[in-house]
Amino acid sequence: MKFAAWKLGFIIKEVPITFIDRQLGESKMNKGIVKEGILGVLKLRWMSMFKNYRKKVKNNNSDNSYLPS
């Protein structure tokens, strides 16, 4: 969604989050999650080459007053 908002011209602002290291247990991160993250980003970029985000928003909403000009 953040990528689509950026493609539509919205300003993206980062808000830092501080994570505390685990004291007990183990990480849930595995190769599958890393693979999904990398392939997901590549898929978004690939699909954006063929997708007109503004056209899709205009077709789905009759009031476009929230879109930046």
Side-chain angles (χ1 to χ4, degrees), residues 20-29:
I20 301 170
D21 291 336
R22 287 180 181 265
Q23 299 298 319
L24 299 171
E26 9 180 294
S27 174
K28 296 178 184 176
M29 185 69 82

Side-chain angles (χ1 to χ4, degrees), residues 26-40:
E26 9 180 294
S27 174
K28 296 178 184 176
M29 185 69 82
N30 59 34
K31 291 178 187 177
I33 293 172
V34 173
K35 179 181 169 184
E36 181 182 351
I38 292 169
L39 293 178

Side-chain angles (χ1 to χ4, degrees), residues 9-57:
F10 287 89
I11 297 171
I12 307 298
K13 182 177 180 181
E14 290 190 34
V15 178
I17 300 173
T18 304
F19 292 96
I20 301 170
D21 291 336
R22 287 180 181 265
Q23 299 298 319
L24 299 171
E26 9 180 294
S27 174
K28 296 178 184 176
M29 185 69 82
N30 59 34
K31 291 178 187 177
I33 293 172
V34 173
K35 179 181 169 184
E36 181 182 351
I38 292 169
L39 293 178
V41 169
L42 294 174
K43 181 180 175 184
L44 274 174
R45 181 65 176 129
W46 176 257
M47 295 302 289
S48 74
M49 291 187 221
F50 307 104
K51 189 175 193 176
N52 184 340
Y53 287 90
R54 288 202 183 274
K55 182 178 178 185
K56 185 163 180 70
V57 169

